[in-house]
Amino acid sequence: MVRRILLIEDEPNIIEAVRYILTREGWAVDTHSDGATALSQVARRRPDVIILDAMLPNRSGFDILRDLRADAATAEIPVLMLTARGQQKDRDLAERLGADRFMTKPFSNAEVLACVQALAGAD
């Protein structure tokens, strides 16, 4: 069975880098770049893991994470926050809201792959 990732990110270079890293290892990667409609994409695509940027157009990743955790249908989906916002207050907020992992940009390919595999229980 193919494992599905939903990458919610608005930076084209990051989208292509993450897609390349994960598809090379057999993951199916769907992408979405608008914070306002991200939750509907989660419901439609039913990913095994979500990679979520903190800074998105129209709605923050932190708000999206809060809503994901408040909904029984999405509360258990593992979430990796992947963001340029690497201050401790951002890490603390992500943890309080229920992010499973927090990673800052720039990132290493191996680090992203290992994190996703761990979150999906595929390692």
Side-chain angles (χ1 to χ4, degrees):
M1 178 170 84
V2 174
R3 303 299 292 249
R4 300 201 74 78
I5 303 290
L6 178 57
L7 171 61
I8 305 172
E9 167 68 57
D10 64 321
E11 175 56 48
N13 293 336
I14 301 295
I15 292 169
E16 289 310 309
V18 172
R19 183 193 318 261
Y20 175 77
I21 295 163
L22 297 174
T23 56
R24 188 177 65 183
E25 296 296 323
W27 296 85
V29 180
D30 295 316
T31 64
H32 190 71
S33 60
D34 186 356
T37 55
L39 291 172
S40 66
Q41 291 299 306
V42 172
R44 187 167 79 82
R45 298 176 189 266
R46 311 295 299 163
D48 296 300
V49 175
I50 297 170
I51 301 175
L52 179 61
D53 188 10
M55 297 180 291
L56 294 163
N58 303 314
R59 190 150 195 252
S60 84
F62 295 114
D63 290 339
I64 294 165
L65 179 59
R66 180 182 296 114
D67 289 349
L68 287 169
R69 294 304 184 231
D71 184 342
T74 58
E76 300 300 318
I77 300 173
V79 175
L80 163 61
M81 293 289 297
L82 182 63
T83 181
R85 295 177 64 160
Q87 296 180 9
Q88 190 60 46
K89 67 179 183 172
D90 298 312
R91 289 179 178 276
D92 293 344
L93 178 57
E95 184 178 313
R96 272 196 319 277
L97 294 174
D100 296 282
R101 299 280 179 96
F102 187 94
M103 189 178 299
T104 57
K105 301 171 189 172
F107 53 83
S108 77
N109 294 1
E111 185 180 21
V112 169
L113 180 59
C115 184
V116 167
Q117 288 174 326
L119 288 174
D123 53 356

